[in-house]
Amino acid sequence: VLQGFTAMLDTPLCLFLIFAIVTRKWYRHFIQIVLCTAQAYGTTAFFIEAWKQGWKYISPDPFDFWIEFTALNALWIVIPLLMMWQSLRAMRKVKM
């Protein structure tokens, strides 16, 4: 269900974000925060689900677990959080 929701909503929003970045639209940071929140949430849910299932679909090899599963998937949390921070800083500079 989550994958279907992501494909139906996030994909068009990603394309819209690219457009907003390239054309320097004022709403770029709002879209970026929404997408980054969804990405961080989805990856966190993925980690929690794997943990709840006792890691049964994850290789028991330490390299596979720590490098391929943990480190590489953590990028899908770290990068969106950095992008959210960037957007929040940019939005804070805006004077109304």
Side-chain angles (χ1 to χ4, degrees):
V1 173
L2 185 59
Q3 290 89 358
F5 178 75
T6 299
M8 297 299 289
L9 184 64
D10 287 2
T11 303
L13 273 177
C14 285
L15 296 173
F16 194 48
L17 176 60
I18 292 169
F19 169 78
I21 290 170
V22 170
T23 58
R24 298 179 180 266
K25 297 295 184 187
W26 63 270
Y27 49 79
R28 169 254 173 117
H29 291 289
F30 174 75
I31 297 169
Q32 186 166 304
I33 289 173
V34 170
L35 282 169
C36 289
T37 301
Q39 182 62 51
Y41 168 78
T43 306
T44 303
F46 173 71
F47 275 116
I48 291 171
E49 190 61 31
W51 172 66
K52 282 175 42 182
Q53 294 179 1
W55 314 107
K56 69 180 175 181
Y57 299 110
I58 309 303
S59 172
D61 178 58
F63 177 82
D64 289 344
F65 180 79
W66 290 108
I67 303 300
E68 294 180 4
F69 176 71
T70 305
L72 294 178
N73 282 308
L75 292 174
W76 292 99
I77 295 175
V78 172
I79 293 171
L81 289 176
L82 290 173
M83 291 177 72
M84 286 172 66
W85 182 64
Q86 173 199 39
S87 289
L88 289 171
R89 286 184 59 210
M91 291 171 72
R92 192 173 77 181
K93 293 178 186 176
V94 174
K95 303 279 188 215
M96 294 192 125

XYZ file of all heavy atoms in Angstrom:
806
model
N 0.836 -1.187 0.000
C 0.000 0.000 0.000
C 0.884 1.256 0.000
O 0.629 2.185 -0.749
C -0.961 0.006 1.211
C -1.709 1.308 1.315
C -1.907 -1.149 1.131
N 1.915 1.263 0.866
C 2.785 2.436 0.951
C 3.521 2.683 -0.361
O 3.675 3.823 -0.796
C 3.774 2.280 2.105
C 4.669 3.482 2.402
C 3.826 4.710 2.737
C 5.614 3.164 3.540
N 3.943 1.600 -1.036
C 4.649 1.763 -2.308
C 3.730 2.360 -3.372
O 4.149 3.185 -4.169
C 5.214 0.428 -2.811
C 6.352 -0.097 -1.989
C 5.903 -0.971 -0.839
O 4.711 -1.168 -0.609
N 6.846 -1.495 -0.090
N 2.482 1.928 -3.403
C 1.528 2.467 -4.362
C 1.258 3.944 -4.121
O 1.216 4.751 -5.052
N 1.089 4.292 -2.852
C 0.879 5.691 -2.486
C 2.086 6.535 -2.889
O 1.938 7.623 -3.452
C 0.620 5.797 -0.979
C 0.448 7.207 -0.501
C -0.725 7.898 -0.754
C 1.460 7.842 0.195
C -0.901 9.203 -0.310
C 1.297 9.143 0.642
C 0.120 9.823 0.383
N 3.275 5.997 -2.613
C 4.504 6.712 -2.961
C 4.612 6.918 -4.465
O 4.937 8.017 -4.929
C 5.734 5.943 -2.439
O 5.632 5.847 -1.015
C 7.021 6.633 -2.799
N 4.345 5.874 -5.231
C 4.446 5.981 -6.687
C 3.428 6.968 -7.251
O 3.738 7.733 -8.172
C 4.263 4.611 -7.318
N 2.240 6.972 -6.697
C 1.187 7.838 -7.223
C 1.357 9.307 -6.825
O 0.977 10.195 -7.577
C -0.189 7.354 -6.751
C -0.558 5.974 -7.252
S -0.626 5.875 -9.042
C -2.093 6.815 -9.358
N 1.922 9.561 -5.658
C 2.033 10.927 -5.174
C 3.448 11.489 -5.303
O 3.640 12.589 -5.815
C 1.577 11.009 -3.716
C 1.552 12.404 -3.105
C 0.532 13.275 -3.831
C 1.218 12.332 -1.643
N 4.427 10.737 -4.843
C 5.798 11.250 -4.801
C 6.414 11.444 -6.180
O 7.155 12.401 -6.388
C 6.693 10.340 -3.967
C 6.408 10.449 -2.482
O 5.492 11.211 -2.106
O 7.094 9.777 -1.699
N 6.126 10.549 -7.109
C 6.734 10.679 -8.439
C 6.333 11.984 -9.129
O 7.212 12.738 -9.567
C 6.398 9.458 -9.308
O 6.848 8.280 -8.631
C 7.064 9.550 -10.665
N 5.052 12.311 -9.210
C 4.701 13.610 -9.809
C 5.259 14.797 -9.015
O 5.693 15.791 -9.602
C 3.178 13.630 -9.799
C 2.768 12.210 -9.687
C 3.851 11.525 -8.923
N 5.273 14.676 -7.680
C 5.825 15.762 -6.873
C 7.317 15.941 -7.118
O 7.822 17.065 -7.118
C 5.564 15.521 -5.391
C 4.239 16.028 -4.846
C 4.075 15.662 -3.374
C 4.086 17.512 -5.034
N 8.035 14.835 -7.329
C 9.465 14.928 -7.641
C 9.677 15.675 -8.954
O 10.570 16.524 -9.059
C 10.102 13.542 -7.719
S 10.374 12.776 -6.122
N 8.874 15.355 -9.944
C 8.976 16.061 -11.230
C 8.634 17.540 -11.058
O 9.292 18.410 -11.638
C 8.072 15.400 -12.262
C 8.437 13.962 -12.639
C 7.369 13.360 -13.543
C 9.806 13.908 -13.291
N 7.627 17.816 -10.258
C 7.238 19.192 -9.985
C 8.347 19.929 -9.238
O 8.622 21.111 -9.495
C 5.926 19.196 -9.202
C 5.249 20.519 -9.129
C 5.058 21.301 -10.264
C 4.770 20.989 -7.922
C 4.415 22.536 -10.187
C 4.130 22.212 -7.833
C 3.959 22.978 -8.976
N 9.024 19.226 -8.315
C 10.138 19.819 -7.580
C 11.288 20.158 -8.525
O 11.883 21.232 -8.421
C 10.618 18.892 -6.464
C 11.841 19.378 -5.680
C 11.562 20.713 -5.004
C 12.267 18.331 -4.673
N 11.593 19.260 -9.444
C 12.656 19.537 -10.414
C 12.323 20.812 -11.193
O 13.169 21.691 -11.365
C 12.861 18.343 -11.365
C 13.443 17.165 -10.599
C 13.767 18.724 -12.539
C 13.432 15.862 -11.370
N 11.080 20.901 -11.644
C 10.632 22.102 -12.356
C 10.798 23.342 -11.474
O 11.296 24.384 -11.924
C 9.172 21.945 -12.793
C 8.552 23.216 -13.284
C 8.840 23.682 -14.563
C 7.703 23.944 -12.465
C 8.275 24.874 -15.010
C 7.139 25.135 -12.914
C 7.427 25.600 -14.189
N 10.395 23.247 -10.217
C 10.461 24.387 -9.306
C 11.908 24.807 -9.040
O 12.205 26.002 -8.931
C 9.756 24.055 -7.993
N 12.816 23.831 -8.955
C 14.233 24.157 -8.733
C 14.813 24.845 -9.970
O 15.461 25.891 -9.870
C 15.036 22.891 -8.382
C 14.643 22.381 -6.989
C 16.539 23.169 -8.441
C 15.203 21.015 -6.645
N 14.568 24.258 -11.127
C 15.140 24.789 -12.368
C 14.615 26.193 -12.672
O 15.368 27.065 -13.112
C 14.863 23.820 -13.550
C 15.216 24.437 -14.890
C 15.620 22.516 -13.347
N 13.342 26.421 -12.422
C 12.741 27.720 -12.737
C 12.735 28.676 -11.537
O 12.168 29.760 -11.633
C 11.305 27.535 -13.261
O 10.536 26.838 -12.275
C 11.297 26.769 -14.576
N 13.355 28.260 -10.448
C 13.488 29.080 -9.233
C 12.146 29.600 -8.720
O 11.968 30.794 -8.457
C 14.457 30.228 -9.467
C 15.850 29.781 -9.798
C 16.748 30.979 -10.052
N 18.089 30.551 -10.375
C 19.087 30.417 -9.500
N 18.872 30.694 -8.236
N 20.275 30.025 -9.887
N 11.196 28.690 -8.580
C 9.868 29.062 -8.083
C 9.895 29.264 -6.567
O 10.649 28.616 -5.852
C 8.831 27.984 -8.434
C 8.649 27.796 -9.925
C 8.064 29.029 -10.549
C 7.786 28.812 -12.020
N 7.372 30.013 -12.698
N 9.028 30.105 -6.071
C 8.976 30.425 -4.646
C 8.542 29.234 -3.797
O 8.882 29.149 -2.619
C 8.052 31.620 -4.397
C 6.625 31.352 -4.791
C 6.073 31.584 -6.016
C 5.600 30.798 -3.984
N 4.752 31.198 -6.027
C 4.427 30.712 -4.781
C 5.541 30.353 -2.663
C 3.236 30.208 -4.301
C 4.341 29.851 -2.189
C 3.205 29.783 -3.001
N 7.789 28.325 -4.352
C 7.243 27.185 -3.593
C 8.169 25.975 -3.579
O 7.810 24.941 -3.031
C 5.879 26.787 -4.140
C 5.829 26.626 -5.652
C 6.314 25.485 -6.273
C 5.299 27.633 -6.442
C 6.279 25.347 -7.650
C 5.246 27.505 -7.813
C 5.738 26.357 -8.415
O 5.706 26.213 -9.774
N 9.343 26.082 -4.143
C 10.284 24.965 -4.222
C 10.562 24.341 -2.846
O 10.538 23.123 -2.689
C 11.593 25.463 -4.840
C 12.766 24.493 -4.756
C 13.783 24.943 -3.723
N 14.811 23.961 -3.527
C 16.070 24.165 -3.798
N 16.467 25.299 -4.318
N 16.944 23.222 -3.533
N 10.807 25.168 -1.841
C 11.193 24.636 -0.535
C 10.025 23.948 0.179
O 10.232 22.966 0.894
C 11.816 25.729 0.327
C 13.155 26.142 -0.195
N 14.260 25.336 -0.116
C 13.544 27.258 -0.846
C 15.286 25.939 -0.675
N 14.883 27.109 -1.132
N 8.828 24.410 -0.033
C 7.662 23.737 0.546
C 7.538 22.324 -0.019
O 7.366 21.355 0.729
C 6.390 24.540 0.277
C 5.152 23.828 0.722
C 4.835 23.745 2.065
C 4.319 23.211 -0.193
C 3.702 23.065 2.485
C 3.186 22.526 0.213
C 2.876 22.462 1.560
N 7.635 22.189 -1.339
C 7.553 20.865 -1.977
C 8.701 19.984 -1.507
O 8.518 18.792 -1.234
C 7.559 20.992 -3.515
C 6.336 21.767 -3.991
C 7.598 19.616 -4.179
C 6.415 22.164 -5.447
N 9.872 20.563 -1.400
C 11.042 19.803 -0.974
C 10.860 19.260 0.442
O 11.202 18.106 0.716
C 12.291 20.692 -1.053
C 13.578 19.953 -0.775
C 14.779 20.764 -1.200
O 14.880 21.157 -2.349
N 15.675 21.010 -0.269
N 10.307 20.054 1.330
C 10.061 19.588 2.702
C 9.041 18.458 2.717
O 9.222 17.456 3.421
C 9.628 20.760 3.608
C 10.824 21.671 3.867
C 9.038 20.248 4.917
C 10.482 22.944 4.594
N 7.986 18.578 1.954
C 6.968 17.522 1.885
C 7.583 16.219 1.383
O 7.393 15.150 1.983
C 5.783 17.960 0.992
C 4.850 16.793 0.705
C 5.026 19.106 1.633
N 8.330 16.291 0.301
C 8.934 15.079 -0.269
C 9.988 14.475 0.648
O 10.057 13.248 0.790
C 9.551 15.389 -1.634
C 8.561 15.491 -2.773
C 9.230 16.054 -4.015
C 7.957 14.128 -3.070
N 10.796 15.305 1.259
C 11.828 14.792 2.157
C 11.226 14.143 3.397
O 11.726 13.132 3.884
C 12.798 15.899 2.540
S 13.856 16.410 1.183
N 10.135 14.714 3.887
C 9.439 14.108 5.022
C 8.891 12.738 4.636
O 9.035 11.768 5.386
C 8.290 15.023 5.499
O 8.836 16.284 5.861
C 7.554 14.419 6.666
N 8.297 12.645 3.464
C 7.762 11.359 2.995
C 8.872 10.332 2.827
O 8.711 9.161 3.198
C 7.015 11.550 1.675
N 10.015 10.745 2.286
C 11.131 9.821 2.080
C 11.705 9.337 3.404
O 11.940 8.147 3.597
C 12.236 10.493 1.257
C 13.407 9.577 0.973
C 13.008 8.367 0.165
O 12.381 8.485 -0.871
N 13.367 7.186 0.631
N 11.938 10.257 4.323
C 12.474 9.876 5.634
C 11.493 8.961 6.374
O 11.897 7.976 7.001
C 12.789 11.120 6.460
N 10.214 9.266 6.289
C 9.190 8.422 6.927
C 9.183 7.019 6.316
O 9.162 6.022 7.038
C 7.813 9.062 6.795
C 6.700 8.120 7.175
C 6.404 7.872 8.513
C 5.959 7.444 6.206
C 5.401 6.996 8.876
C 4.959 6.562 6.559
C 4.685 6.337 7.883
O 3.704 5.457 8.233
N 9.197 6.944 4.995
C 9.158 5.648 4.320
C 10.356 4.783 4.644
O 10.230 3.573 4.880
N 11.525 5.384 4.683
C 12.734 4.621 5.001
C 12.726 4.182 6.461
O 13.108 3.057 6.778
C 13.990 5.442 4.686
O 13.925 5.875 3.325
C 15.244 4.627 4.880
N 12.277 5.057 7.339
C 12.172 4.688 8.754
C 11.180 3.545 8.929
O 11.450 2.583 9.672
C 11.747 5.905 9.599
O 12.692 6.959 9.397
C 11.670 5.558 11.066
N 10.060 3.596 8.240
C 9.081 2.504 8.303
C 9.680 1.200 7.771
O 9.420 0.122 8.323
C 7.834 2.876 7.506
N 10.493 1.291 6.733
C 11.179 0.118 6.177
C 12.103 -0.512 7.217
O 12.099 -1.728 7.413
C 11.966 0.546 4.932
C 12.851 -0.515 4.362
C 12.312 -1.616 3.709
C 14.220 -0.407 4.459
C 13.131 -2.599 3.170
C 15.051 -1.380 3.927
C 14.497 -2.476 3.278
N 12.892 0.310 7.914
C 13.786 -0.193 8.963
C 12.987 -0.826 10.104
O 13.329 -1.905 10.589
C 14.651 0.940 9.544
C 15.898 1.223 8.774
C 16.076 2.440 8.149
C 16.917 0.292 8.685
C 17.230 2.722 7.445
C 18.081 0.558 7.994
C 18.242 1.776 7.372
N 11.934 -0.164 10.535
C 11.131 -0.681 11.649
C 10.466 -1.994 11.269
O 10.430 -2.934 12.082
C 10.101 0.377 12.113
C 10.830 1.544 12.775
C 9.064 -0.228 13.037
C 9.951 2.739 13.076
N 9.961 -2.092 10.055
C 9.319 -3.336 9.611
C 10.322 -4.487 9.570
O 10.015 -5.602 9.996
C 8.675 -3.135 8.242
C 7.792 -4.276 7.818
C 6.615 -4.519 8.747
O 6.098 -3.575 9.355
O 6.205 -5.694 8.867
N 11.528 -4.226 9.082
C 12.569 -5.263 9.059
C 12.917 -5.699 10.482
O 13.099 -6.892 10.750
C 13.809 -4.756 8.327
N 12.994 -4.745 11.384
C 13.295 -5.045 12.779
C 12.177 -5.867 13.418
O 12.424 -6.855 14.112
C 13.517 -3.747 13.532
C 13.637 -3.913 15.020
C 14.620 -4.550 15.702
C 12.715 -3.434 15.999
N 14.379 -4.491 17.053
C 13.206 -3.798 17.267
C 11.531 -2.711 15.917
C 12.553 -3.489 18.438
C 10.885 -2.395 17.100
C 11.393 -2.780 18.336
N 10.908 -5.471 13.182
C 9.767 -6.192 13.748
C 9.700 -7.631 13.254
O 9.234 -8.514 13.972
C 8.462 -5.468 13.406
C 8.210 -4.255 14.266
C 6.979 -3.457 13.870
C 5.787 -4.276 13.526
N 4.620 -3.474 13.101
N 10.157 -7.868 12.020
C 10.139 -9.223 11.462
C 11.385 -10.020 11.848
O 11.588 -11.110 11.341
C 10.007 -9.162 9.947
C 8.685 -8.607 9.491
C 8.578 -8.526 7.983
O 9.488 -8.894 7.245
N 7.451 -8.029 7.496
N 12.200 -9.461 12.712
C 13.378 -10.166 13.187
C 14.492 -10.257 12.159
O 15.288 -11.193 12.190
N 14.532 -9.309 11.239
C 15.569 -9.241 10.201
C 15.590 -10.486 9.323
O 16.612 -10.810 8.721
C 16.957 -9.020 10.807
C 17.041 -7.964 11.852
C 17.184 -8.161 13.187
C 16.977 -6.544 11.672
N 17.217 -6.951 13.852
C 17.091 -5.944 12.944
C 16.822 -5.723 10.557
C 17.066 -4.568 13.131
C 16.791 -4.348 10.752
C 16.916 -3.786 12.014
N 14.477 -11.217 9.225
C 14.492 -12.504 8.531
C 14.733 -12.395 7.031
O 15.161 -13.360 6.416
C 13.226 -13.300 8.823
C 11.958 -12.772 8.236
C 10.794 -13.681 8.611
C 9.479 -13.119 8.147
N 8.370 -13.985 8.518
N 14.501 -11.236 6.427
C 14.774 -11.068 4.998
C 16.098 -10.351 4.739
O 16.419 -10.026 3.608
C 13.628 -10.321 4.308
C 12.326 -11.061 4.402
C 11.287 -10.595 5.199
C 12.143 -12.261 3.717
C 10.094 -11.290 5.297
C 10.951 -12.965 3.812
C 9.932 -12.468 4.603
O 8.753 -13.164 4.702
N 16.852 -10.094 5.803
C 18.132 -9.400 5.706
C 19.253 -10.422 5.901
O 19.185 -11.266 6.783
C 18.234 -8.292 6.781
C 17.011 -7.382 6.760
C 19.519 -7.496 6.643
C 16.726 -6.711 5.438
N 20.268 -10.328 5.081
C 21.394 -11.258 5.163
C 22.050 -11.175 6.536
O 22.287 -10.080 7.053
C 22.424 -10.921 4.080
O 23.589 -11.693 4.263
N 22.393 -12.329 7.131
C 23.047 -12.315 8.443
C 24.531 -11.939 8.369
O 25.156 -11.691 9.396
C 22.879 -13.752 8.940
C 22.760 -14.561 7.701
C 22.077 -13.690 6.689
N 25.092 -11.887 7.167
C 26.493 -11.512 7.015
C 26.693 -10.082 7.534
O 25.953 -9.176 7.140
C 26.893 -11.594 5.540
C 28.329 -11.179 5.312
O 29.229 -11.801 5.919
O 28.542 -10.215 4.540
N 27.673 -9.866 8.432
C 27.872 -8.526 9.001
C 28.104 -7.441 7.941
O 27.594 -6.326 8.067
C 29.097 -8.675 9.896
C 29.125 -10.120 10.242
C 28.571 -10.838 9.041
N 28.859 -7.735 6.891
C 29.085 -6.749 5.832
C 27.773 -6.371 5.168
O 27.482 -5.193 4.979
C 30.073 -7.277 4.793
C 30.286 -6.321 3.652
C 31.177 -5.268 3.781
C 29.580 -6.461 2.469
C 31.365 -4.374 2.739
C 29.758 -5.573 1.422
C 30.654 -4.520 1.556
N 26.999 -7.381 4.815
C 25.711 -7.119 4.168
C 24.796 -6.287 5.062
O 24.135 -5.359 4.600
C 25.002 -8.422 3.803
C 25.673 -9.159 2.659
O 26.497 -8.547 1.953
O 25.353 -10.344 2.466
N 24.759 -6.645 6.351
C 23.857 -5.941 7.257
C 24.286 -4.495 7.483
O 23.491 -3.580 7.322
C 23.757 -6.668 8.609
C 22.830 -5.984 9.570
C 21.465 -6.143 9.448
C 23.319 -5.155 10.565
C 20.591 -5.499 10.318
C 22.460 -4.502 11.437
C 21.093 -4.682 11.317
N 25.550 -4.294 7.868
C 25.987 -2.954 8.250
C 26.273 -2.033 7.060
O 26.007 -0.840 7.134
C 27.208 -3.012 9.164
C 26.823 -3.543 10.503
C 27.118 -4.768 11.023
C 26.014 -2.890 11.486
N 26.546 -4.912 12.259
C 25.872 -3.775 12.572
C 25.405 -1.643 11.555
C 25.142 -3.447 13.708
C 24.687 -1.327 12.694
C 24.564 -2.217 13.746
N 26.802 -2.574 5.972
C 27.135 -1.724 4.830
C 25.963 -1.642 3.852
O 25.457 -0.561 3.560
C 28.403 -2.213 4.108
C 29.592 -2.268 5.072
C 28.700 -1.346 2.887
C 29.963 -0.944 5.697
N 25.537 -2.784 3.356
C 24.505 -2.782 2.314
C 23.123 -2.413 2.839
O 22.389 -1.674 2.186
C 24.461 -4.131 1.609
C 25.723 -4.424 0.814
C 25.679 -5.762 0.110
O 24.643 -6.454 0.161
O 26.699 -6.124 -0.497
N 22.760 -2.920 3.989
C 21.424 -2.626 4.510
C 21.405 -1.321 5.305
O 20.677 -0.391 4.979
C 20.919 -3.785 5.381
C 19.587 -3.515 6.029
C 18.434 -3.482 5.266
C 19.499 -3.279 7.382
C 17.196 -3.215 5.854
C 18.277 -3.010 7.980
C 17.126 -2.984 7.216
N 22.222 -1.240 6.335
C 22.149 -0.099 7.241
C 22.728 1.185 6.634
O 22.027 2.198 6.547
C 22.867 -0.423 8.567
O 22.307 -1.630 9.101
C 22.697 0.696 9.572
N 23.977 1.151 6.217
C 24.630 2.379 5.745
C 23.993 2.910 4.462
O 23.694 4.108 4.354
C 26.119 2.142 5.541
N 23.781 2.040 3.482
C 23.235 2.522 2.216
C 21.789 2.979 2.347
O 21.388 3.969 1.730
C 23.383 1.458 1.134
C 24.837 1.135 0.747
C 24.888 0.041 -0.303
C 25.558 2.377 0.248
N 21.007 2.304 3.163
C 19.630 2.754 3.372
C 19.557 3.987 4.256
O 18.622 4.780 4.129
C 18.774 1.625 3.948
C 18.361 0.634 2.883
O 17.833 1.029 1.855
N 18.606 -0.632 3.113
N 20.537 4.169 5.129
C 20.563 5.368 5.976
C 20.719 6.628 5.134
O 20.250 7.701 5.522
C 21.681 5.264 7.003
N 21.347 6.497 3.975
C 21.465 7.655 3.079
C 20.093 8.202 2.709
O 19.934 9.409 2.504
C 22.233 7.274 1.813
C 23.711 6.954 1.988
C 24.299 6.456 0.684
C 24.462 8.169 2.495
N 19.094 7.310 2.636
C 17.738 7.724 2.278
C 17.034 8.437 3.425
O 15.906 8.914 3.276
C 16.922 6.524 1.805
C 17.421 5.997 0.511
C 18.239 4.924 0.328
C 17.174 6.531 -0.790
N 18.512 4.763 -1.004
C 17.865 5.736 -1.721
C 16.436 7.608 -1.260
C 17.841 5.974 -3.074
C 16.399 7.849 -2.614
C 17.097 7.036 -3.507
N 17.697 8.512 4.579
C 17.200 9.316 5.696
C 18.066 10.563 5.848
O 17.553 11.675 5.991
C 17.187 8.511 7.019
C 16.179 7.367 6.914
C 16.867 9.411 8.210
C 16.166 6.433 8.105
N 19.372 10.392 5.785
C 20.301 11.502 6.013
C 20.153 12.590 4.942
O 20.035 13.774 5.268
C 21.759 10.989 6.082
C 22.748 12.141 6.120
C 21.939 10.078 7.288
N 20.149 12.201 3.677
C 20.063 13.192 2.598
C 18.746 13.973 2.651
O 18.762 15.198 2.580
C 20.332 12.541 1.228
C 21.793 12.091 1.157
C 19.986 13.495 0.087
C 22.151 11.248 -0.044
N 17.599 13.316 2.808
C 16.364 14.113 2.951
C 16.380 15.045 4.164
O 15.872 16.172 4.094
C 15.267 13.063 3.077
C 15.801 11.884 2.360
C 17.274 11.895 2.648
N 16.967 14.603 5.276
C 17.037 15.486 6.445
C 17.911 16.702 6.167
O 17.580 17.824 6.571
C 17.542 14.719 7.669
C 16.570 13.702 8.253
C 17.220 12.946 9.408
C 15.284 14.356 8.694
N 19.011 16.512 5.450
C 19.859 17.639 5.068
C 19.118 18.596 4.131
O 19.233 19.814 4.247
C 21.149 17.142 4.414
C 22.146 16.451 5.336
C 23.296 15.845 4.530
C 22.675 17.415 6.381
N 18.359 18.026 3.209
C 17.588 18.862 2.284
C 16.471 19.614 3.021
O 16.163 20.760 2.683
C 17.028 18.016 1.153
C 18.112 17.494 0.217
S 17.474 16.425 -1.066
C 16.620 17.618 -2.098
N 15.875 18.976 4.020
C 14.854 19.658 4.821
C 15.482 20.830 5.577
O 14.914 21.918 5.630
C 14.208 18.689 5.808
C 13.255 17.705 5.172
S 12.691 16.437 6.304
C 11.740 17.382 7.463
N 16.648 20.596 6.149
C 17.361 21.649 6.874
C 17.668 22.816 5.937
O 17.483 23.979 6.286
C 18.632 21.052 7.483
C 19.437 22.030 8.286
C 19.055 22.660 9.446
C 20.743 22.494 8.001
N 20.066 23.473 9.887
C 21.116 23.383 9.020
C 21.653 22.220 6.990
C 22.350 24.016 9.040
C 22.888 22.844 7.021
C 23.226 23.736 8.027
N 18.119 22.489 4.704
C 18.397 23.520 3.703
C 17.134 24.348 3.425
O 17.185 25.576 3.374
C 18.899 22.872 2.412
C 19.062 23.838 1.267
C 19.096 23.151 -0.079
O 18.371 22.195 -0.324
N 19.953 23.646 -0.950
N 16.023 23.674 3.239
C 14.776 24.371 2.940
C 14.295 25.213 4.113
O 13.829 26.339 3.928
C 13.692 23.367 2.543
O 13.974 22.841 1.278
N 14.398 24.681 5.309
C 13.976 25.449 6.484
C 14.826 26.700 6.657
O 14.306 27.769 7.000
C 14.027 24.576 7.735
C 12.954 23.488 7.793
C 13.224 22.540 8.961
C 11.574 24.089 7.894
N 16.111 26.589 6.409
C 16.990 27.764 6.485
C 16.604 28.788 5.417
O 16.578 29.989 5.684
C 18.449 27.351 6.320
C 18.999 26.650 7.548
C 20.453 26.324 7.432
N 21.230 27.537 7.218
C 22.372 27.580 6.544
N 22.851 26.487 6.007
N 23.020 28.707 6.398
N 16.330 28.318 4.213
C 15.944 29.230 3.117
C 14.617 29.908 3.424
O 14.439 31.105 3.159
C 15.880 28.467 1.801
N 13.672 29.161 3.974
C 12.358 29.728 4.278
C 12.425 30.710 5.444
O 11.662 31.668 5.511
C 11.360 28.605 4.573
C 11.017 27.786 3.339
S 10.050 26.330 3.706
C 8.479 27.053 4.094
N 13.357 30.485 6.360
C 13.514 31.375 7.488
C 14.010 32.770 7.054
O 13.693 33.768 7.684
C 14.491 30.781 8.500
C 14.497 31.489 9.821
C 15.322 30.783 10.823
N 16.734 31.069 10.528
C 17.740 30.582 11.214
N 17.517 29.723 12.183
N 18.968 30.896 10.913
N 14.747 32.811 5.952
C 15.276 34.078 5.441
C 14.212 34.947 4.779
O 14.423 36.129 4.589
C 16.396 33.806 4.432
C 17.620 33.195 5.031
C 18.639 32.916 3.951
C 19.840 32.168 4.516
N 20.790 31.811 3.448
N 13.096 34.338 4.421
C 12.037 35.066 3.710
C 11.340 36.029 4.672
O 10.900 35.651 5.750
C 11.005 34.091 3.088
C 9.843 34.852 2.486
C 11.688 33.205 2.072
N 11.236 37.262 4.249
C 10.546 38.288 5.051
C 9.153 38.484 4.474
O 8.971 38.624 3.281
C 11.298 39.610 4.994
C 12.719 39.528 5.443
C 12.794 39.570 6.934
C 14.274 39.684 7.307
N 14.620 39.009 8.463
N 8.157 38.491 5.334
C 6.781 38.688 4.856
C 6.308 40.061 5.211
O 6.672 40.690 6.092
C 5.857 37.639 5.455
C 6.192 36.255 4.978
S 4.856 35.161 5.449
C 4.483 34.484 3.875
